[in-house]
Amino acid sequence: MKRWMAVLWVFLHACATGKLMSMGQFYSIPLGTKEEAVVEEFGSPEAVTEEEGQTCYYYVERLTNGFRVIEERYYKLMFVNGKLVEKGVSQENTPPYQLNSYDLQTTYGDETPPDEN
C-alpha cells in the first residue's frame, strides 16, 4: 500500500509541477538571466552538464499526436557564473520507419470500416 501511495504522490507531484518550455518561451528568455530564475520558471531541466566553468541545462519539448511523439525540440541553455550567456535549439522529427504500423492505421472505434466495393 505504501508503494502505491508513493507512486500516486509522484504522479500528482509531476502533474502539479510539470512545467514545460515551449519555443516561444525559450526565445523570450533574455541573455543574462540567472539560473535560479530559469529553474523557477520552467522547473528542473532534463539534464545538466558542467565543465570548465560552464553549466548547461537541457530541456525537451515533445510534440505528440495521440500517444505518438512526432517531434522533439531540444533546448540548451549555457550559464557562466550563474548567468545565461548562450542558448540554442534543435529539433528532431520521428522517422517514419520508427512508427509502429498499427499506430498508423485508421481506427474506426465501434464502427465497421466502409466497404471498398
Side-chain angles (χ1 to χ4, degrees):
M1 182 67 172
K2 287 183 181 180
R3 184 175 182 178
W4 171 252
M5 293 301 287
V7 170
L8 180 62
W9 182 84
V10 169
F11 176 74
L12 292 176
H13 182 70
C15 291
T17 61
K19 298 178 182 176
L20 181 67
M21 184 178 293
S22 68
M23 183 77 78
Q25 292 169 326
F26 171 78
Y27 283 116
S28 71
I29 303 170
L31 294 178
T33 303
K34 293 185 177 184
E35 284 182 66
E36 297 85 19
V38 171
V39 172
E40 184 178 315
E41 178 71 23
F42 303 106
S44 299
E46 295 229 5
V48 177
T49 60
E50 296 181 22
E51 58 183 58
E52 300 178 15
Q54 299 175 348
T55 303
C56 292
Y57 285 7
Y58 298 91
Y59 290 89
V60 179
E61 178 184 19
R62 291 177 178 89
L63 304 174
T64 60
N65 182 4
F67 293 105
R68 290 183 289 141
V69 174
I70 56 173
E71 187 174 322
E72 290 182 327
R73 294 180 182 155
Y74 302 95
Y75 302 109
K76 176 184 175 184
L77 304 171
M78 182 187 299
F79 297 91
V80 174
N81 297 325
K83 292 188 178 182
L84 181 63
V85 295
E86 184 180 323
K87 58 186 186 173
V89 63
S90 63
Q91 80 186 42
E92 180 179 304
N93 296 336
T94 303
Y97 59 83
Q98 287 185 347
L99 298 175
N100 182 336
S101 64
Y102 180 77
D103 292 337
L104 296 174
Q105 296 174 9
T106 304
T107 58
Y108 295 97
D110 292 335
E111 302 172 15
T112 56
D115 291 334
E116 294 184 19
N117 294 338

